[in-house]
Amino acid sequence: MDRLPAAVRDAIEAQRMSGGDPLAMFIYDLDALRQHIERVMAALPAGVELYYAIKANSEAPILATLAPWVDGFEISSGGEIERVHDCPTPKRFVFSGPGKLDSDLRAAMRHDVEAIHVESLNEIERLQRLAREAGRMQAVFIRINPQLPPSLSTRLAMAGTPTPFGIDESDLAQAVRQVDAASHLRLQGFHVHAMSHQQQVERHERLLDAYLQRWPQWKALSAQPQSITHLNVGGGIGVDYLSDDQFDWQRLCRHLGRRLAEIDDAPLVRFEPGRFITAFCGYYAIEVLDMKASHGTHFLVCRGGTHQFRLPVAQGHDHPVIHLPQRPVAADAPRRRWTVVGQLCTPKDVLSRDRPLAGIAVGDVLALPLAGAYGYNISHADFLCHPRPTQLFLPAGTSQGPSVRSH
Ligand SMILES: *Cc1c(COP(=O)(O)O)cnc(C)c1O
C-alpha cells in the first residue's frame, strides 16, 4: 500500500513543479485499471458475465478504458445514461435504482436499455404503461430483497433487512404475476444486490450459494419459467482500505464455476461490481500547507479535504497515506503521529488520524491510494466554494500525454 507507481509519482511531481497554488488532485492510472479489469474478466467462469456499476466512477476515460473488456454497464439514473451514451465503445446497459423517474425510464428505453431492474410493484405498473406508450417489449429483472440469514450480512446491507431497494421476497409472487400479465414487459431474470463492502470471500460464496438455491423456486413463480434465464447477483465486492489483503476474486469465480456445473438448468449469472473495479486505480494527492500541535494532537493541514475525498469520513476509517517528501528524509528521522486534515472549517474534515510519518515538511505531498471508486464523485465539492480539484487520467499506453480534466 505504500508503493506508488512511477507514472503517478511523476505526474504529481510535474504538477507540483508547474507553479500556482499548492496541489490537490486526483490521478487515475488507466494502465493499472486495464490490467486489473483484464484479470477480473479472465477469471469469470463460463456462463458468467460482468457489468460495471458506473456509479462507483463514471468519468469518461474510466468508462472508455473499461468498455472493451466488460460485458456491459449498470446505471442508476438518467445522468448515467448520458455517460454510457457518450462512451466511444457502444455497450449494453441495465438500469437499477429506487425512485426512477418516468423521464429516466423513457430515456433508457430510447437508448435501447437491455433490461430494467424493477424495484417495486408500482414501478412494474408504471413501466408497463411507459413501454406500451413507446411501443416496446421491455425485458425486466425483478430486484428481490430476499430473506437472508443474519450471518451473511455486511455493514452496508441492501437486502435481508428493511431497505428501500427491491421487492420484499414476500411480495415476489405478486410481482412475478404482475410482470407475466403485462403486455409490454418480459421477465428475463432476477436481481439481488444485497450488500456492499463484502471482504470475506467465504461469506460471498455462501451468499451466491443461497441465491442459486432459491433460483428454481423464484423461477417457478412464473407461468413461463423457461423464459427466465438470468440471475444478476449484484456487486458489493469489498476493498480493504487498511491492509493489502484484498478480496480473492479468483477463488470466488472458481467456486461459482463449480456450483454452476453441478446445477441442471443453471442461470446465466451476471455480476455488477463497482468499487472492486475502479478503487485501485485512483490516488488523491494533496500538499501539506501547515503543521501544528493542538491539545496534544499533531495536525497536517493540507490542500483539499473531505469535500473532494469524502470516502474515509463516509466510511469512518483512517485512510492510508503515502508521504512524498520534497527533500530526502534521513533514515533516523523520528516518526510522529499526524492527523491529516483539509481546508474545511469543520472538525469533521479529517482524512486520516494518527499516521506515523517521518520528516514531514510544509510543501510535501501526501498521496492517498484506493481513491478510484466513490472518491471524488460522492464528495460535497462545492462546500466553502473551494475550486474543484484537477482530475488527471494517465493513459493506458505511453504514447500520448495525460489527459487533464479541470473543473
Ligand atoms: C451500487 C450498486 C452496485 C455496485 O456496488 P459496489 O459495492 O460498488 O460493488 C451494484 N448494483 C447496484 C444495484 C448498486 O446500487
Side-chain angles (χ1 to χ4, degrees), residues 51-56 74-76 95-98 117 119 143 156 158 165 191-198 232-238 271-278 373-374:
Y51 282 37
Y52 169 58
I54 78 167
K55 78 169 185 285
E74 187 265 349
I75 62 124
S76 298
F95 187 9
S96 331
H117 299 164
E119 306 240 0
R143 179 168 179 182
L156 197 58
M158 321 274 174
F165 310 114
H191 172 265
V192 195
H193 172 64
M195 62 192 58
S196 197
H197 295 299
Q198 175 67 272
N232 184 322
V233 296
I237 308 302
F271 283 109
E272 51 177 27
R275 185 187 308 275
F276 188 68
I277 304 303
T278 41
Y374 306 112

Side-chain angles (χ1 to χ4, degrees), residues 60-354:
I62 299 280
L63 297 191
T65 303
L66 292 174
W69 299 95
V70 297
D71 294 301
F73 291 130
E74 187 265 349
I75 62 124
S76 298
S77 74
E80 289 188 343
I81 299 172
E82 299 294 320
R83 294 276 168 119
V84 168
H85 181 65
D86 292 344
C87 181
T89 310
K91 283 321 274 193
R92 295 184 280 166
F93 73 99
V94 296
F95 187 9
S96 331
K100 299 182 193 75
L101 301 176
D102 283 4
S103 56
D104 293 339
L105 290 167
R106 285 198 190 97
M109 290 192 280
R110 218 168 35 243
H111 286 94
D112 201 22
V113 61
E114 182 186 4
I116 293 178
H117 299 164
V118 288
E119 306 240 0
S120 77
L121 299 174
N122 287 326
E123 194 173 272
I124 296 172
E125 227 174 277
R126 208 148 53 86
L127 183 60
Q128 153 65 11
R129 179 169 49 76
L130 296 170
R132 197 182 51 214
E133 278 168 23
R136 178 181 167 93
M137 177 59 89
Q138 180 58 55
V140 301
F141 284 42
I142 294 177
R143 179 168 179 182
I144 307 171
N145 181 342
Q147 308 294 336
L148 290 175
S151 63
L152 290 184
S153 191
T154 69
R155 71 193 148 93
L156 197 58
M158 321 274 174
T161 179
T163 73
F165 310 114
I167 293 177
D168 195 281
E169 201 170 4
S170 60
D171 288 333
L172 183 59
Q174 190 187 341
V176 170
R177 274 198 303 277
Q178 220 172 300
V179 176
D180 276 352
S183 59
H184 287 70
L185 304 182
R186 181 172 67 78
L187 184 55
Q188 191 186 9
F190 295 105
H191 172 265
V192 195
H193 172 64
M195 62 192 58
S196 197
H197 295 299
Q198 175 67 272
Q199 307 221 0
Q200 298 177 32
V201 63
E202 198 264 335
R203 274 193 186 199
H204 215 69
E205 288 173 359
R206 282 194 282 138
L207 191 67
L208 298 185
D209 292 348
Y211 301 161
L212 288 171
Q213 200 187 356
R214 297 278 232 302
W215 164 251
Q217 300 155 26
W218 291 339
K219 256 179 75 155
L221 295 171
S222 170
Q224 297 105 29
Q226 67 291 346
S227 66
I228 305 173
T229 47
H230 286 67
L231 178 63
N232 184 322
V233 296
I237 308 302
V239 166
D240 191 335
Y241 290 95
L242 304 180
S243 84
D244 276 332
D245 188 16
Q246 296 305 342
F247 188 92
D248 192 344
W249 173 253
Q250 314 283 333
R251 174 178 153 175
L252 183 73
C253 287
R254 284 195 301 272
H255 174 86
L256 180 60
R258 280 194 301 272
R259 293 313 303 261
L260 290 173
E262 289 163 12
I263 303 175
D264 307 323
D265 197 19
L268 287 166
V269 172
R270 185 176 287 166
F271 283 109
E272 51 177 27
R275 185 187 308 275
F276 188 68
I277 304 303
T278 41
F280 304 103
C281 73
Y283 299 83
Y284 181 48
I286 51 179
E287 198 163 323
V288 177
L289 302 176
D290 205 351
M291 312 164 58
K292 65 169 81 167
S294 172
H295 293 266
T297 295
H298 290 82
F299 289 94
L300 294 177
V301 180
C302 300
R303 187 78 204 277
T306 53
H307 57 307
Q308 298 178 350
F309 188 49
R310 194 172 74 91
L311 177 95
V313 78
Q315 294 184 181
H317 74 226
D318 292 308
H319 211 81
V321 168
I322 303 168
H323 178 204
L324 302 174
Q326 291 176 87
R327 290 185 201 81
V329 174
D332 60 352
R335 278 175 186 271
R336 160 164 286 161
R337 292 186 172 272
W338 293 98
T339 288
V340 180
V341 303
Q343 297 174 280
L344 300 185
C345 309
T346 157
K348 294 182 180 173
D349 188 22
V350 178
L351 295 163
S352 202
R353 286 163 301 185
D354 293 332

